[in-house]
Amino acid sequence: MQTFTLEQVAQHTTTGSCWVLIQNKVYDVTDFLFDHPGGPNVILKYGGKDATAAYIPIHPSDALDKNLAPERHLGTLDDESINRLKESENNKVQTKDELRVEEALKNKPPLQRIVNVEDMEEVAKKILSYRAMAYYSSAGDDSITHVENGRAFGRFFFHPRVMKPVSQCDTSTTILGFKSTIPVYISGAALARLGHPLGEANFTRGAYKTGIIQMVSTNSSLSYAEISAARVSPDQPLFFQLYKHVSDATAEKRVRDIEGLGYKAIFLTVDALVPGNRELDIRVPHYLEDLENQGLPTQRKPDEDEGETDRLGTAGGLVIKNDADMTWEKTIPWIRSITKLPIVIKGIQCVQDAVLACEAGCEGIVLSNHGGRQLEYSLPPIELLYRIRQQRPDVFEKTEVYIDGGIRRGTDVVKALCLGARAVGLGRAFLYAQSAYGEAGVVHVARILEREIRFGMQSLGVRSISELVPQMVERVDWQPVTRAKL
């Protein structure tokens, strides 16, 4: 294999010839510059340099093989250059954000002090890098939809039944026929390695230990094969959240790949076809630059082109190649033609589309507004669930219905099940958990939810999920006080 010096690599920094270093290997990325979802500038910034630290947390291990021809894998650095890079890394001055994270990790509370989902979020936001925190927590526009997703659960109150035998309470259910210890699944969440080096594998192993199901995002930071290999048992089910690529050929290969790896269902995401306006995420480069400069003049030229990634944020760069022309008449039959896997539509936001999904024969629907990350003022999923129950109760007989967004408590889960949901998905909660405590954090959150769900069921006077019925909840027209933090 050919070797190169740092000086040789440093000569290739333009759109005419751009090389980068990743884990001491040299790649010619010239032909890929304008195919990169975030635009060429995000790569050119690292032209002729070591891009390892920026690349590894947000790209699966097979990304280079999939996107670069073999002849563009040029070779490796020579031994002297590798040693110089190591020395440079050892002498690197930590950024202010890195120093903040280091201090926060020293003061991180022991896991047993985390008693609810919001506790976990608070700890994670302190120990995450600013970039990771902004990506995980960002929401659309003014975050109104994100906030209302949670507040909406407060408009539903219980009608508990008493004098019922509830000592034997079973929280288990099935999702698309697969057993789950609780009516909760890990929703598809991208870039878990931004928060923890083991990334999505923490979800996989934590899900196995607690008997719940993981949905894997198209934009995972581990490859689909790596996540599949992380399963403790080959029988452990995995679902796949599909962002359909604008190229049918690319989308088909992706579906066939995950089916071959043993994934059990496709959750087709339909509520994030174009980049959302997630301003916290978009501002990250400017915030970090200002943090380091502390009021000194910026090095960025006033008229310098920011590039697509700076304008769209990390999240925007992930969806820019999505198919924005999907239809009920075309897309569902096309997916049926290439796979036998069940199809669930993730991102239903109105009653009419819930009905159309049933008519299209979809095995399930997820009522979701992408966690409030996309269209501001989309209806909270629990409110939509209520409207479907009122207007089209037949939907629940024709397909399995799930919701995600705003769920913080076991009582939130129980309310959704009373109204007809089969299960609920949580994404951010598990992202925060694995970021703060790895696999153990995932297990801890699942067990918190199991305890709270069991308590809610027993307090309502039921012993099984099937006994939860619409008559047990009532929607009120007033908004209760905001949840108190004790």
Side-chain angles (χ1 to χ4, degrees):
M1 182 176 288
Q2 188 173 357
T3 61
F4 299 87
T5 66
L6 287 170
E7 288 74 20
Q8 287 175 308
V9 175
Q11 295 174 17
H12 300 269
T13 62
T14 68
T15 55
S17 179
C18 184
W19 294 6
V20 296
L21 289 169
I22 298 173
Q23 294 183 316
N24 299 327
K25 294 182 179 179
V26 184
Y27 298 93
D28 181 351
V29 294
T30 311
D31 294 341
F32 183 64
L33 286 174
F34 290 93
D35 290 329
H36 187 270
N41 285 352
V42 69
I43 299 179
L44 287 170
K45 181 165 56 175
Y46 296 98
K49 301 175 186 176
D50 184 10
T52 303
Y55 178 88
I56 292 299
I58 60 175
H59 294 87
S61 61
D62 57 358
L64 290 165
D65 293 331
K66 287 182 175 180
N67 292 294
L68 296 181
E71 60 270 21
R72 299 303 181 188
H73 297 234
L74 301 180
T76 65
L77 283 179
D78 62 16
D79 290 341
E80 181 185 351
S81 294
I82 291 174
N83 289 332
R84 286 165 58 193
L85 267 185
K86 288 181 180 178
E87 184 177 352
S88 175
E89 184 65 27
N90 291 336
N91 295 328
K92 183 181 176 183
V93 177
Q94 287 182 291
T95 66
K96 291 181 175 63
D97 194 52
E98 289 169 341
L99 290 169
R100 176 193 61 78
V101 169
E102 188 176 89
E103 188 64 24
L105 285 168
K106 291 178 184 177
N107 297 312
K108 185 176 70 173
L111 185 56
Q112 60 267 30
R113 293 191 183 179
I114 306 300
V115 299
N116 59 44
V117 170
E118 289 193 359
D119 283 353
M120 187 69 79
E121 180 175 337
E122 286 186 11
V123 172
K125 284 182 174 179
K126 291 176 182 176
I127 62 93
L128 282 167
S129 70
Y130 185 81
R131 181 189 184 196
M133 183 282 297
Y135 171 68
Y136 290 167
S137 64
S138 63
D141 289 359
D142 300 307
S143 299
I144 292 169
T145 300
H146 171 56
V147 171
E148 283 298 320
N149 281 352
R151 275 169 48 89
F153 282 96
R155 293 190 284 273
F156 291 84
F157 281 72
F158 289 120
H159 292 295
R161 299 300 307 274
V162 298
M163 300 295 288
K164 300 280 187 178
V166 293
S167 62
Q168 301 299 314
C169 181
D170 182 8
T171 62
S172 68
T173 189
T174 60
I175 303 174
L176 296 175
F178 296 96
K179 292 181 180 179
S180 181
T181 55
I182 53 176
V184 171
Y185 59 86
I186 300 174
S187 197
L191 306 187
R193 288 183 73 188
L194 276 179
H196 192 284
L198 297 182
E200 289 81 7
N202 286 324
F203 297 152
T204 311
R205 298 184 182 116
Y208 177 81
K209 284 188 175 180
T210 55
I212 63 175
I213 300 174
Q214 173 192 8
M215 182 199 304
V216 176
S217 172
T218 290
N219 297 314
S220 295
S221 51
L222 292 181
S223 71
Y224 315 141
E226 288 173 317
I227 296 170
S228 178
R231 291 181 294 178
V232 181
S233 165
D235 297 328
Q236 180 181 350
L238 292 173
F239 297 156
F240 187 72
Q241 179 195 18
L242 176 65
Y243 286 87
K244 185 186 175 297
H245 197 277
V246 66
S247 162
D248 284 354
T250 300
E252 180 174 352
K253 184 179 186 308
R254 189 169 285 162
V255 169
R256 294 194 185 281
D257 284 349
I258 62 100
E259 188 170 15
L261 289 167
Y263 287 67
K264 299 301 184 183
I266 290 173
F267 281 64
L268 177 65
T269 298
V270 296
D271 59 354
L273 306 183
V274 294
N277 185 39
R278 307 176 193 179
E279 294 175 356
L280 184 63
D281 186 30
I282 293 168
R283 290 191 178 110
V284 167
H286 309 297
Y287 171 86
L288 294 176
E289 185 177 52
D290 291 345
L291 181 66
E292 291 304 309
N293 291 337
Q294 288 189 318
L296 296 174
T298 178
Q299 298 179 16
R300 188 188 294 261
K301 298 176 182 178
D303 58 350
E304 184 178 344
D305 182 20
E306 293 178 307
E308 283 299 309
T309 296
D310 278 357
R311 287 192 289 268
L312 301 175
T314 301
L318 296 176
V319 304
I320 203 166
K321 294 289 185 180
N322 288 355
D323 186 350
D325 294 312
M326 293 189 292
T327 67
W328 294 107
E329 297 79 13
K330 177 187 69 173
T331 306
I332 306 304
W334 179 81
I335 296 176
R336 293 278 187 216
S337 73
I338 63 172
T339 182
K340 301 294 185 183
L341 294 178
I343 298 172
V344 178
I345 304 299
K346 184 179 184 300
I348 296 295
Q349 297 169 82
C350 67
V351 175
Q352 296 93 322
D353 281 342
V355 173
L356 288 175
C358 292
E359 292 176 353
C362 296
E363 284 79 4
I365 57 175
V366 183
L367 312 184
S368 174
N369 53 34
H370 220 77
R373 287 170 167 259
Q374 289 295 111
L375 179 64
E376 191 75 294
Y377 295 103
S378 297
L379 203 64
I382 188 68
E383 291 280 12
L384 176 56
L385 181 67
Y386 176 73
R387 280 161 175 72
I388 294 174
R389 169 58 64 189
Q390 297 296 308
Q391 299 173 23
R392 291 299 300 262
D394 58 306
V395 165
F396 300 98
E397 300 170 3
K398 297 175 180 177
T399 194
E400 293 192 2
V401 179
Y402 322 109
I403 76 168
D404 67 34
I407 296 143
R408 294 289 184 274
R409 289 285 188 180
T411 48
D412 296 338
V413 180
V414 173
K415 289 174 185 179
L417 267 61
C418 285
L419 290 172
R422 185 80 179 186
V424 307
L426 282 84
R428 284 184 178 98
F430 287 109
L431 272 175
Y432 291 136
Q434 73 94 29
S435 297
Y437 298 96
E439 176 187 328
V442 175
V443 171
H444 195 66
V445 163
R447 287 178 176 161
I448 286 171
L449 290 169
E450 181 176 10
R451 183 189 73 240
E452 293 184 350
I453 291 167
R454 178 174 286 105
F455 171 78
M457 291 173 62
Q458 290 175 313
S459 299
L460 278 172
V462 304
R463 291 181 291 183
S464 68
I465 298 295
S466 62
E467 295 177 42
L468 295 169
V469 293
Q471 291 77 16
M472 291 180 172
V473 291
E474 177 180 345
R475 187 188 183 282
V476 300
D477 292 326
W478 45 273
Q479 181 65 52
V481 295
T482 304
R483 297 175 182 179
K485 185 69 177 177
L486 301 177

